[in-house]
Amino acid sequence: MKRGGCTYIITNKTNTVLCTGVTAELRGRIWEHKTKAYPKSFTARFNCNKIVWYETFHSIEEAIDREKQIKAGSRKDKEDLINSINPKWLDLWDEVQDL
């Protein structure tokens, strides 16, 4: 049986840094970003802890493919993706907790 997955974009307080990631367990992964569980990581160093976009998939392989597609795009492509579902760039943490 294949395990599902999520692709997500997080940013910092001022929305100047975008980081795209993939995980099989979104709530736990975002919690790691928020608590800086890995203090030397890129996201911890640049204070990326606000989830502004995510997409769920039936398999982790689909999520990985989507992450690669997003990472290959420009910053404008990422901004357009975020704006399509979250034009105010609100932190979607409360929504993620309900998944």
Side-chain angles (χ1 to χ4, degrees):
M1 180 174 156
K2 289 186 176 184
R3 188 172 183 185
C6 291
T7 305
Y8 62 91
I9 300 174
I10 59 173
T11 189
N12 59 349
K13 181 179 175 182
T14 57
N15 303 331
T16 55
V17 179
L18 297 178
C19 183
T20 305
V22 65
T23 183
E25 210 285 286
L26 186 60
R27 186 178 358 176
R29 185 69 185 110
I30 300 305
W31 179 250
E32 289 174 344
H33 288 303
K34 287 189 168 294
T35 61
K36 295 185 177 153
Y38 304 100
K40 293 184 179 182
S41 70
F42 176 89
T43 57
R45 289 192 329 262
F46 288 92
N47 296 310
C48 295
N49 59 17
K50 180 170 74 168
I51 181 167
V52 291
W53 178 89
Y54 68 93
E55 189 173 358
T56 59
F57 297 91
H58 291 291
S59 73
I60 192 67
E61 292 81 9
E62 290 174 297
I64 291 168
D65 289 344
R66 181 67 165 140
E67 178 197 31
K68 289 176 183 177
Q69 178 187 38
I70 293 168
K71 283 186 171 186
S74 66
R75 178 177 175 102
K76 183 180 181 324
D77 292 338
K78 293 174 186 75
E79 289 174 351
D80 290 346
L81 191 59
I82 295 163
N83 287 329
S84 71
I85 67 153
N86 188 2
K88 293 184 179 181
W89 290 51
L90 301 173
D91 189 350
L92 302 176
W93 173 240
D94 289 339
E95 186 177 314
V96 167
Q97 290 185 78
D98 293 335
L99 292 180

